[in-house]
Amino acid sequence: MAHITSGELFRENIRGKTELGRKAQPFVERGLLVPNELTVGMILERISQPDARRGFLLDGYPRNLEQARALDRALAAQEKAIDKTLYIKVSDEELVRRLAGRWNCRQCGAVYHEQSMPPKQSGACDRCGSALYQREDDRPDVVRTRLEVNLKELEPLLAYYRKDGKLIEVDGELEVERVKEKLLAAVGRPQEVP
Ligand code: AMP
């Protein structure tokens, strides 16, 4: 499955100084939602790529009802639909703690945490050796805004998927391995595609 992360797509566009990146940057820096007209188009274009034909995992999308409906409409036009929605529940305090200690590798995308998953050598990626960085929007003040913005839209979104029986809730504060097991059990084995 293609793993498609809306935030990463925005960050790539910002780094590459594309038109979309230029428009999205002021929102991303402040931790605000990028307007739907930019976000929906970006995601629909991405899921039309060949690597998403066998299926995809969307990470960070949808973040409001309009995004969910636009996605469903686009998929329905191709006689497809979202199978499952995973909601990983973590308290606000824990989210702030996790994001404040998060370090990312720009090169290979690996993610570390100062306390719970430190790299072997401070500041360097275990996998590829590149320098690690902290996201500007992981600063606690911006994280607070991100949480507020996201939580405002969360309940209607959960209700939307719950009514179709597609919502799976997983406790994200369990041990990493337990969360992983539960997520794998929730999605089931990927289908073999000839
Ligand atoms: P994330 O990496 O998921 O925390 O996303 C980083 C930032 O990208 C967010 O704070 C938003 O500014 C923007 N973003 C990511 N996904 C979406 C989305 N589905 N709708 C609107 N903005 C988004």
Side-chain angles (χ1 to χ4, degrees):
M1 264 196 237
H3 181 181
I4 299 172
T5 309
S6 50
E8 194 48 42
L9 288 177
F10 281 126
R11 284 186 290 279
E12 273 169 28
N13 276 280
I14 292 170
R15 280 200 291 276
K17 298 191 167 38
T18 66
E19 172 79 6
L20 173 63
R22 197 179 53 71
K23 289 182 178 159
Q25 188 164 11
F27 297 96
V28 173
E29 278 174 357
R30 292 182 185 83
L32 301 172
L33 287 189
V34 177
N36 287 339
E37 56 268 29
L38 297 176
T39 307
V40 171
M42 174 180 79
I43 290 293
L44 296 188
E45 193 281 325
R46 180 63 188 84
I47 64 176
S48 71
Q49 301 287 317
D51 67 330
R53 214 170 286 146
R54 289 174 164 197
F56 50 80
L57 173 73
L58 284 176
D59 173 357
Y61 183 100
R63 262 147 138 134
N64 56 38
L65 272 184
E66 197 181 323
Q67 293 183 6
R69 291 195 178 116
L71 176 66
D72 281 352
R73 275 196 303 273
L75 291 175
Q78 304 167 35
E79 297 183 353
K80 291 183 183 164
I82 290 294
D83 297 316
K84 284 169 185 165
T85 310
L86 303 172
Y87 172 37
I88 307 173
K89 278 192 288 187
V90 179
S91 69
D92 289 7
E93 299 70 49
E94 177 63 7
L95 284 173
V96 174
R97 191 194 72 79
R98 289 184 186 180
L99 297 186
R102 177 161 77 165
W103 287 82
N104 308 272
C105 177
R106 219 187 289 275
Q107 197 63 36
C108 72
V111 182
Y112 300 89
H113 190 274
E114 284 169 1
Q115 284 123 36
S116 46
M117 214 204 291
K120 290 198 185 80
Q121 196 191 327
S122 174
C125 179
D126 292 353
R127 275 203 275 182
C128 72
S130 299
L132 301 178
Y133 79 105
Q134 283 195 292
R135 276 171 50 178
E136 277 287 315
D137 62 347
D138 278 349
R139 288 198 332 253
D141 54 325
V142 186
V143 167
R144 291 274 168 213
T145 309
R146 284 163 65 202
L147 284 176
E148 264 169 45
V149 164
N150 288 316
L151 292 180
K152 214 169 62 194
E153 312 267 4
L154 181 65
E155 274 309 322
L157 207 46
L158 295 178
Y160 181 81
Y161 288 109
R162 197 177 280 129
K163 91 174 159 11
D164 289 343
K166 292 185 176 176
L167 186 73
I168 297 167
E169 304 191 31
V170 172
D171 178 356
E173 299 206 23
L174 301 171
E175 296 272 300
V176 174
E177 277 306 310
R178 291 284 296 140
V179 176
K180 181 176 162 185
E181 273 167 25
K182 284 181 179 279
L183 290 171
L184 286 176
V187 293
R189 266 182 181 282
Q191 304 267 311
E192 281 299 322
V193 180

